[in-house]
């Protein structure tokens, strides 16, 4: 019987508040994905979001729209 390590994929995921670059402006990819999710959710994307704020909003909108890997 072979022993395998159990890996928690969330263990390597840092909270956006802990990101070193979290206060930088959103990336083009974040901005594009946010706009897609917001359109599907009937929401608007505020201007001037940071990377960390965008990541949190993406998580929220993914839950609203049923997109993303929720486990």
């Amino acid at each position: 019987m072979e022993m395998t390590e159990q890996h928690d994929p969330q263990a390597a995921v840092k909270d956006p508040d802990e990101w070193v670059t979290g206060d930088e402006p959103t990336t083009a990819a974040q901005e594009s994905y946010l706009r897609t999710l917001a359109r599907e959710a009937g929401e608007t994307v505020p201007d001037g979001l940071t990377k960390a704020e965008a990541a949190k909003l993406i998580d929220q909108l993914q839950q609203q729209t049923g997109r993303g890997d929720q486990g």
Side-chain angles (χ1 to χ4, degrees), residues 2-56:
E2 185 177 320
M3 296 293 288
T4 59
E5 269 187 61
Q6 296 295 321
H7 291 283
D8 178 2
Q10 295 300 316
V13 178
K14 279 188 163 182
D15 184 313
D17 289 330
E18 297 176 13
W19 292 357
V20 173
T21 61
D23 60 348
E24 293 178 3
T26 59
T27 65
Q30 280 181 312
E31 186 78 22
S32 174
Y33 190 43
L34 264 175
R35 299 226 179 267
T36 298
L37 288 170
R39 185 172 50 250
E40 289 181 11
E43 302 284 340
T44 57
V45 177
D47 291 330
L49 291 176
T50 66
K51 286 181 183 179
E53 291 168 336
K56 291 177 189 177

